[in-house]
């Protein structure tokens, strides 16, 4: 186990039109045993960051260190890092046993018996013990992924690097493997950096999320912090499914004015906004309230366009009764019914709205966010029994 740090790490590639900055002055401190997820859209620099840590790319500038030791001059083999690739990268002519043992055979002086014992132990942990004498071509995608993980685990490295390891699996198997990866990481306690473009994976698996866009770090925080207290407009829109709703507004006194509605703010919120006048109002779909029209403050008429049932909830797409017809999304419980063409009242609770500077995208005001209530552990009293 080890800590990992990147200080002002930059990677620039030569291009036809000049230098292309893939990673731009990235600062990250990853604690010993932490599970950190690098997330962002395609081309944001997350895989390049992982390759720099692994030694497959050299940083143009900045420092990368493991346990405060700068590792730039070390080869990938010397860094005591294990990497799991999106493509699994298994040797097709070798059995599962040989695939898992190969790294130990090449990099350690362990005996054949010691290596075989280690491989068998890890294979049993991953529930692939009965597959050790098969070749990768005879395995399912999920089984191949477990073999790739096992090949990394047997080395007992300081740091795990995982580059979109679940992207080739179907949705059900991805969900199962997310849980399995979390369990394994907690058991092993190995510092892990996991790259994905899937914000659901980032939210469900990580201790902390690092969100990248255009090679620049946008925010680092716990999943709850990034979801409820986004640092800017990009983070707010990227984290969350369905995405946060955004409306261009201008502040006139205590009123936010848009083409579709006028929204009255409390004095307290106006104070938070300070001098900003051109703003973007954001609200997450689950925070929008739907009810029969009652003329309450900050409640507006909207027309249902499409309802998408998801079983436990429905995603409802609406447009304002007044305005240019642009749509926004609301999520409601799966047992509530709305029909296309139905007119309803929608309300944006003030404690749930976010405000962003329209020019810079920086957060001006986040929703009211209180710490999550801890569920009490079940007792062993006679009443509990």
């Amino acid at each position: 186990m080890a800590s990992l740090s990147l200080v002002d790490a930059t990677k620039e590639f030569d291009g036809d039109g000049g230098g292309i900055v893939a990673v731009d002055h990235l600062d990250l401190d990853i604690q010993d045993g932490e599970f950190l997820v690098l997330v962002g859209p395609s081309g944001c620099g997350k895989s390049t960051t992982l390759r720099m840590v692994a030694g497959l790319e050299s940083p143009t500038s900045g420092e990368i260190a493991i346990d405060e030791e700068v590792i730039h001059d070390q080869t990938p083999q010397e860094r005591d890092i294990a990497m799991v690739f999106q493509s699994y990268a298994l040797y097709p002519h070798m059995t599962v046993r040989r695939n898992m043992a190969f790294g130990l055979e090449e990099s350690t002086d362990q005996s054949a018996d010691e290596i075989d014992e280690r491989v068998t132990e890890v294979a049993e942990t991953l529930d692939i013990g009965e597959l050790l004498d098969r070749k990768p071509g005879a395995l399912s995608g999920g089984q191949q992924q477990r073999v790739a993980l096992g090949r990394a685990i047997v080395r007992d490295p300081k740091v795990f690097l995982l580059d979109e390891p679940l992207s080739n699996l179907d949705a059900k198997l991805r969900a199962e493997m997310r849980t399995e990866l979390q369990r394994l990481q907690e058991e092993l306690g190995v510092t892990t950096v996991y790259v994905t473009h899937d914000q659901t994976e980032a939210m469900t698996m990580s201790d902390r999320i690092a969100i990248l866009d255009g090679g620049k770090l946008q925010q680092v925080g716990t999943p709850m912090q990034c979801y409820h207290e986004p640092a800017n407009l990009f983070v707010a829109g990227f984290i969350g499914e369905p995405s946060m709703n955004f409306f261009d507004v201008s502040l006139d006194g205590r009123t936010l004015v848009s083409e579709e509605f006028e929204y009255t703010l409390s004095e307290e919120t106006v104070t938070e906004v300070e001098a900003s006048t051109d703003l973007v109002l954001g609200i997450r779909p689950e925070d929008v309230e739907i009810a029969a029209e009652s003329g309450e403050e900050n409640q507006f008429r909207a027309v249902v366009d499409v309802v998408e049932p998801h079983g436990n909830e429905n995603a409802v797409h609406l447009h304002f009764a007044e305005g240019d017809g642009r749509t926004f999304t609301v999520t409601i419980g799966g047992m509530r019914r709305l029909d296309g063409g139905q007119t309803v009242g929608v309300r944006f609770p003030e404690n749930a709205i976010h405000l962003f500077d329209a020019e810079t995208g920086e957060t001006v005001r986040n929703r009211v966010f209180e710490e999550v209530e801890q569920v009490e552990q079940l007792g062993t009293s006679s009443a509990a029994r």
Side-chain angles (χ1 to χ4, degrees):
M1 295 188 292
S3 62
L4 172 66
S5 63
L6 294 89
V7 180
D8 209 28
T10 299
K11 180 61 180 179
E12 186 173 345
F13 295 98
D14 293 330
D16 294 337
I20 299 171
V21 180
V23 179
D24 194 355
H25 300 285
L26 177 61
D27 290 315
L28 271 178
D29 283 311
I30 303 161
Q31 303 302 311
D32 189 350
E34 184 176 19
F35 194 130
L36 181 119
V37 174
L38 282 174
V39 66
S42 297
C44 72
K46 53 190 185 293
S47 289
T48 301
T49 300
L50 211 66
R51 290 173 64 83
M52 287 195 295
V53 175
L56 303 178
E57 300 283 356
S58 299
T60 305
S61 62
E63 287 188 351
I64 301 173
I66 294 177
D67 280 341
E68 301 183 359
E69 179 186 358
V70 177
I71 58 175
H72 300 175
D73 295 332
Q74 297 179 4
T75 65
Q77 293 86 349
E78 294 170 332
R79 297 186 182 198
D80 198 9
I81 285 173
M83 189 165 180
V84 178
F85 298 88
Q86 178 180 349
S87 61
Y88 312 142
L90 301 176
Y91 301 112
H93 62 289
M94 294 183 181
T95 63
V96 169
R97 188 186 305 276
R98 289 281 292 118
N99 264 281
M100 292 176 63
F102 187 74
L104 290 178
E105 293 170 352
E106 295 297 312
S107 62
T108 72
D109 57 2
Q110 294 182 34
S111 69
D113 288 342
E114 289 174 327
I115 291 174
D116 190 64
E117 183 180 350
R118 176 64 176 161
V119 167
T120 302
E121 177 187 350
V122 171
E124 292 298 332
T125 300
L126 291 168
D127 199 25
I128 54 173
E130 73 281 4
L131 306 178
L132 285 172
D133 295 320
R134 296 189 192 178
K135 291 184 178 178
L139 306 180
S140 68
Q143 289 169 336
Q144 290 185 54
Q145 184 60 74
R146 288 172 186 263
V147 175
L149 286 168
R151 185 175 57 187
I153 292 170
V154 293
R155 294 180 54 194
D156 194 20
K158 289 182 178 179
V159 178
F160 277 148
L161 304 178
L162 294 90
D163 191 2
E164 304 204 42
L166 307 183
S167 60
N168 293 333
L169 305 180
D170 62 60
K172 184 175 186 297
L173 192 52
R174 272 204 310 273
E176 292 175 358
M177 286 302 296
R178 283 203 304 264
T179 304
E180 186 70 14
L181 277 172
Q182 284 177 280
R183 181 186 65 79
L184 280 169
Q185 197 274 338
E186 289 177 3
E187 286 183 2
L188 298 169
V190 179
T191 306
T192 302
V193 183
Y194 184 106
V195 160
T196 182
H197 65 274
D198 186 336
Q199 54 91 18
T200 300
E201 288 183 10
M203 289 290 293
T204 56
M205 298 177 69
S206 63
D207 294 321
R208 286 191 304 155
I209 304 172
I211 303 161
L212 298 175
D213 183 42
K216 291 182 177 292
L217 182 65
Q218 304 296 310
Q219 184 171 357
V220 182
T222 66
M224 293 296 283
Q225 287 170 340
C226 293
Y227 188 83
H228 292 293
E229 300 177 324
N232 54 41
L233 201 57
F234 173 81
V235 174
F238 188 80
I239 298 295
E241 180 61 36
S243 181
M244 184 183 289
N245 298 298
F246 297 113
F247 307 95
D248 293 326
V249 295
S250 59
L251 182 62
D252 182 6
R254 286 180 50 202
T255 304
L256 297 173
V257 181
S258 78
E259 294 183 2
E260 296 91 1
F261 61 85
E262 293 187 357
Y263 188 98
T264 304
L265 297 174
S266 66
E267 291 288 356
E268 181 182 357
T269 300
V270 172
T271 301
E272 291 183 68
V273 173
E274 296 178 340
S276 302
T277 55
D278 292 327
L279 300 165
V280 176
L281 183 151
I283 187 166
R284 294 209 176 272
E286 66 271 21
D287 290 326
V288 180
E289 297 176 356
I290 292 185
E293 294 182 77
S294 62
E296 291 184 13
E297 186 176 61
N298 297 332
Q299 184 163 295
F300 320 105
R301 296 175 67 245
V303 180
V304 177
D305 288 328
V306 176
V307 179
E308 297 179 348
H310 293 279
N312 64 321
E313 65 181 21
N314 296 322
V316 184
H317 304 275
L318 311 97
H319 66 269
F320 289 102
E322 293 81 25
D324 60 5
R326 62 156 290 178
T327 61
F328 60 100
T329 305
V330 178
T331 55
I332 60 175
M335 299 303 289
R336 297 182 67 189
R337 176 178 171 179
L338 288 174
D339 298 314
Q342 183 176 346
T343 300
V344 296
V346 295
R347 180 174 175 271
F348 302 163
E350 187 171 346
N351 67 354
I353 66 169
H354 303 255
L355 294 171
F356 307 91
D357 187 289
E359 182 177 352
T360 66
E362 295 301 308
T363 300
V364 174
R365 187 258 193 192
N366 272 321
R367 65 160 300 157
V368 176
F369 173 57
E370 297 178 354
E371 289 299 321
V372 179
E373 180 183 354
Q374 178 67 49
V375 177
E376 292 185 9
Q377 181 171 309
L378 184 65
T380 57
S381 66
S382 56
R385 291 194 297 269

